[in-house]
Amino acid sequence: VDIGAAYDDPPSLTSPYDPAPRPEADLWFLPEGDAPGHGAGDPVALEPGPRPRPRRAGLTAQAFLDAEAAQAAALARAAAGLAALDEAVRRSGRGMAERLALIEAEAMLRAEGGRAGREEIARHLAQALPADRHRPDIARAAWAVRRLLAAPGPPGELRAFLGLHRVDSAALPEDLQPRPVGSDFDLAAAAFGHGMGTLAPAHPLTRAAWGFELWHRAGLSAEGAVAEPATAVARIAAQENRALGFAPLSPARGAWERRGTAETRLALWLRAVADGARAAMLEIARVETWATRAREATAAMKGRGPAALVEALAARPMLTTDTAATLAGLSRDTAERGLARLHRMGLVRELTGQGRFRLWAV
């Protein structure tokens, strides 16, 4: 931006040290070759707001389009696997999506170096975690779970998606700003949106792979963050689904590493989507197998309570006693006795180790 623009009457004379005027389209987030007058080695003046990351050779929107054309078969396999998973989740219900979202959030947190597991995340969501255990990493994973469980579709307006309040950049010291704030964030979000628009003709899986690079290039999250960009692009990848709002990638965390050319990255991404869909289908099969075994084990028990509790436990990844009672249509005392009996039979686990506010899972 020309410094003279800050004045009502900009000076007409230029200094020999002033940068050459640049057309409006010549922005750092556009793929190389889209802006006239700039080659790969030309210096680019920095705009106010988020600073561009060093650009890697070949990582352009066109490079991802070319990679998509070269990997059509892998793209078809990954898309078919994700569609099959979406249908399986639709049949299984929202509880299965919750189960998969907890697994995904755990993997994102581990990729950032966090230690919290899915059970801690679930306890945080159920407000059953002791006050001294409310760590920022668990809260970040819980945010990811809530976003992953939204109805299928792209992230939408990024400030709302990230749950940010508008803050003036002058209100925080620079060393306490993990991401752009205020108008700087608006510039970064606009850069991301424009960059994603350059790949509008591509398949959502390809756009997601490009989006992960673009998110970091725009500087929307703190350096080294995984959960926020991974959650955003998981939703972009699955925006054509009917039930599951994200594409699971937890078995192949390497897809969250920014290495290699566009062709290499897209190949890794598509393989991760296919592997994630298979792993999620195995998780669905595991729960269905448990439910069959539990029904057989409780078939001889009197009353409808045991069978109803089995259905409630299969429908949700983790349950409090009160929730189990509500889902099963039982009194709290009856549900508590039934869960304790299933626990003695080895059919359920108690996750908290407490005498009160306990959580149960298959």
Side-chain angles (χ1 to χ4, degrees), residues 40 55 77 120 126 169 181 247 313 347 362:
R55 187 178 297 171
R77 286 192 294 269
E120 280 188 289
S169 59
V181 297
L313 286 159
L347 291 173
V362 303

Side-chain angles (χ1 to χ4, degrees), residues 14 37 76 84-85 87-88 108 129 135 181 202 304 307:
T14 60
L85 173 62
E87 176 60 20
M108 292 175 183
L129 200 63
R135 304 196 308 264
V181 297
R304 68 176 189 85

Side-chain angles (χ1 to χ4, degrees), residues 28-297:
W28 62 264
F29 53 82
L30 289 182
E32 293 174 1
D34 286 359
H38 279 281
D42 292 338
V44 178
L46 296 180
E47 303 284 356
R51 296 297 184 254
R53 305 290 191 260
R55 187 178 297 171
R56 292 167 172 82
L59 286 179
T60 65
Q62 186 58 50
F64 275 87
L65 280 174
D66 295 342
E68 180 184 79
Q71 301 179 45
L75 176 62
R77 286 192 294 269
L82 183 59
L85 173 62
D86 182 50
E87 176 60 20
V89 169
R90 188 189 67 79
R91 293 196 309 268
S92 299
R94 179 178 171 82
M96 187 56 66
E98 293 177 4
R99 203 178 295 272
L100 299 178
L102 285 169
I103 295 172
E104 196 72 7
E106 177 190 64
M108 292 175 183
L109 211 60
R110 297 288 169 84
E112 291 182 343
R115 303 184 308 277
R118 66 195 71 170
E119 294 177 0
E120 280 188 289
I121 300 168
R123 290 171 63 188
H124 175 92
L125 289 165
Q127 299 181 345
L129 200 63
D132 60 346
R133 298 290 297 280
H134 287 289
R135 304 196 308 264
D137 58 341
I138 299 179
R140 193 161 58 253
W143 167 88
V145 170
R146 289 191 292 268
R147 294 302 186 271
L148 293 173
L149 288 176
E157 201 274 322
L158 293 185
R159 191 182 296 277
F161 174 75
L162 292 168
L164 302 178
H165 299 287
R166 188 176 182 85
V167 177
D168 185 359
S169 59
L172 293 173
E174 187 173 349
D175 60 350
L176 293 181
Q177 297 181 22
R179 74 172 98 245
V181 297
S183 59
D184 288 348
F185 181 86
D186 295 336
L187 284 172
F192 179 79
H194 187 102
M196 290 301 296
T198 62
L199 214 65
H203 190 277
L205 294 181
T206 306
R207 299 182 76 243
W210 163 242
F212 192 76
E213 166 64 22
L214 197 61
W215 185 283
H216 289 87
R217 191 180 292 184
L220 287 166
S221 296
E223 192 69 28
V226 174
E228 290 178 350
T231 300
V233 300
R235 294 197 55 78
I236 292 172
Q239 66 185 65
E240 294 182 352
N241 281 7
R242 293 189 299 168
L244 186 64
F246 66 98
L249 296 171
S250 54
R253 298 176 197 170
W256 296 327
E257 297 178 4
R258 301 166 64 209
R259 298 183 299 179
T261 64
E263 185 173 356
T264 301
R265 290 194 190 193
L266 183 59
L268 179 60
W269 188 269
L270 296 176
R271 189 161 59 247
V273 171
D275 291 346
R278 280 193 292 270
M281 293 290 281
L282 289 174
E283 177 66 13
I284 293 174
R286 182 186 74 83
V287 174
E288 292 175 348
T289 300
W290 174 88
T292 299
R293 180 168 64 90
R295 292 187 194 102
E296 293 173 353

Side-chain angles (χ1 to χ4, degrees), residues 285-349:
R286 182 186 74 83
V287 174
E288 292 175 348
T289 300
W290 174 88
T292 299
R293 180 168 64 90
R295 292 187 194 102
E296 293 173 353
T298 58
M301 295 181 183
K302 295 182 180 179
R304 68 176 189 85
L309 286 173
V310 167
E311 297 305 319
L313 286 159
R316 300 287 293 274
M318 297 170 198
L319 293 174
T320 63
T321 302
D322 288 337
T323 304
T326 300
L327 291 178
L330 305 172
S331 69
R332 190 188 188 286
D333 289 343
T334 301
E336 190 167 30
R337 288 194 299 270
L339 289 167
R341 187 173 184 182
L342 294 177
H343 184 259
R344 290 193 298 271
M345 297 171 64
L347 291 173
V348 301
R349 295 179 298 139

